[in-house]
Amino acid sequence: MPTQTFLNLNEDKQNQIFNALINEFSNHRLMDAQVARIIKDCSIARGSFYKYFDDINDSYQYALKRVLREIHFDVFAQLKAETTDSLHAFYVATESFINELENSDYEQFYRKYVLFNQYELKHVEYDYNNLPDDKLILMVNGQKISDRKTIVLTYKWASRAAHQTIRTVLNGGDDKQALSDFSDLLKLINKGLVN
């Protein structure tokens, strides 16, 4: 994450550096990215770059976190709002994310993340076991599922399917078909939970 020196910069300078990072990581995989292009793009010295970030991976993590904060969906807020079908919340959140991404300046950046960089960074899957009980909400046909293990497993698979749907769309797949397949899968999971 960025150093305090970076955080002490004025907002315009931070945004200038952020935009240079987005430009670099939208056009190059992390393993091919170069500090030289970034510093040229935002007109800072190489020494300044290393005062702001530990290395290029650190600068990438900063850019990724900021992008996700700006466009990522809050599935937990969606889950609380959904009173009859919690898995529908995963669908709504995924569809919203895809639409938000397609209308943003970060589509290419996120495409590189999904197709390449998350593997190079050795992305760790979110562990739903660490969630407090008030976040583990699972409603199926208006009935509350209370078994924690079932909820965690359902969240894990719904989340994996959501990420695969996003990956399919970013890889050039038909977004309507990908979302339709995701919706059908969620319905099958729902059906299995009430049997």
Side-chain angles (χ1 to χ4, degrees), residues 85-140:
D85 178 6
S86 296
L87 291 182
H88 184 68
F90 280 91
Y91 177 84
V92 170
T94 303
E95 181 182 45
S96 297
F97 179 76
I98 289 169
N99 290 336
E100 183 81 21
L101 188 61
E102 287 177 346
N103 297 317
S104 80
D105 294 331
Y106 306 129
E107 185 176 7
Q108 280 302 108
F109 174 90
Y110 201 76
R111 177 175 283 117
K112 288 270 193 283
Y113 170 72
V114 166
L115 300 180
F116 307 109
N117 296 334
Q118 69 178 336
Y119 305 108
E120 293 167 13
L121 291 169
K122 297 185 179 23
H123 171 77
V124 177
E125 187 175 55
Y126 186 81
D127 187 357
Y128 290 105
N129 287 299
N130 296 329
L131 283 176
D133 289 339
D134 67 321
K135 297 259 188 187
L136 289 171
I137 303 164
L138 186 56
M139 301 293 291
V140 179

Side-chain angles (χ1 to χ4, degrees), residues 4 6 13 19-20 37 41 98 120 148 170-172 176:
Q4 191 60 48
F6 177 82
K13 190 64 175 177
N19 290 333
R37 284 192 296 253
D41 192 13
I98 289 169
E120 293 167 13
R148 184 178 177 84
L170 290 174
N171 207 16
K176 287 181 179 50

Side-chain angles (χ1 to χ4, degrees), residues 10-39:
N10 68 48
E11 188 177 344
D12 287 343
K13 190 64 175 177
Q14 286 184 27
N15 288 336
Q16 183 182 2
I17 294 167
F18 171 70
N19 290 333
L21 295 172
I22 293 300
N23 184 43
E24 181 68 12
F25 298 128
S26 294
N27 291 299
H28 304 279
R29 291 171 59 169
L30 179 56
M31 65 187 289
D32 299 324
Q34 295 179 5
V35 171
R37 284 192 296 253
I38 295 169
I39 63 174

Side-chain angles (χ1 to χ4, degrees):
M1 287 298 108
T3 64
Q4 191 60 48
T5 305
F6 177 82
L7 298 175
N8 289 339
L9 294 172
N10 68 48
E11 188 177 344
D12 287 343
K13 190 64 175 177
Q14 286 184 27
N15 288 336
Q16 183 182 2
I17 294 167
F18 171 70
N19 290 333
L21 295 172
I22 293 300
N23 184 43
E24 181 68 12
F25 298 128
S26 294
N27 291 299
H28 304 279
R29 291 171 59 169
L30 179 56
M31 65 187 289
D32 299 324
Q34 295 179 5
V35 171
R37 284 192 296 253
I38 295 169
I39 63 174
K40 182 178 180 185
D41 192 13
C42 63
S43 302
I44 62 171
R46 180 175 284 276
S48 295
F49 179 88
Y50 290 105
K51 284 183 182 176
Y52 303 149
F53 305 102
D54 291 339
D55 55 26
I56 199 158
N57 286 0
D58 189 39
S59 72
Y60 183 84
Q61 292 283 6
Y62 161 72
L64 177 62
K65 188 173 184 179
R66 186 165 160 182
V67 165
L68 290 177
R69 191 171 54 242
E70 290 185 29
I71 63 169
H72 209 271
F73 52 85
D74 184 357
V75 74
F76 297 112
Q78 195 71 38
L79 283 163
K80 280 191 174 187
E82 184 60 59
T83 57
T84 58
D85 178 6
S86 296
L87 291 182
H88 184 68
F90 280 91
Y91 177 84
V92 170
T94 303
E95 181 182 45
S96 297
F97 179 76
I98 289 169
N99 290 336
E100 183 81 21
L101 188 61
E102 287 177 346
N103 297 317
S104 80
D105 294 331
Y106 306 129
E107 185 176 7
Q108 280 302 108
F109 174 90
Y110 201 76
R111 177 175 283 117
K112 288 270 193 283
Y113 170 72
V114 166
L115 300 180
F116 307 109
N117 296 334
Q118 69 178 336
Y119 305 108
E120 293 167 13
L121 291 169
K122 297 185 179 23
H123 171 77
V124 177
E125 187 175 55
Y126 186 81
D127 187 357
Y128 290 105
N129 287 299
N130 296 329
L131 283 176
D133 289 339
D134 67 321
K135 297 259 188 187
L136 289 171
I137 303 164
L138 186 56
M139 301 293 291
V140 179
N141 295 338
Q143 291 182 290
K144 185 175 182 177
I145 305 294
S146 56
D147 179 61
R148 184 178 177 84
K149 185 176 179 182
T150 299
I151 298 169
V152 167
L153 193 58
T154 302
Y155 276 26
K156 180 187 284 189
W157 284 101
S159 182
R160 284 180 182 171
H163 288 118
Q164 182 56 47
T165 300
I166 293 165
R167 187 175 298 109
T168 298
V169 170
L170 290 174
N171 207 16
D174 181 334
D175 58 339
K176 287 181 179 50
Q177 185 62 53
L179 285 165
S180 176
D181 291 347
F182 181 45
S183 176
D184 290 345
L185 176 64
L186 294 175
K187 288 173 187 169
L188 281 173
I189 293 171
N190 249 354
K191 189 175 177 183
L193 288 168
V194 292
N195 287 334

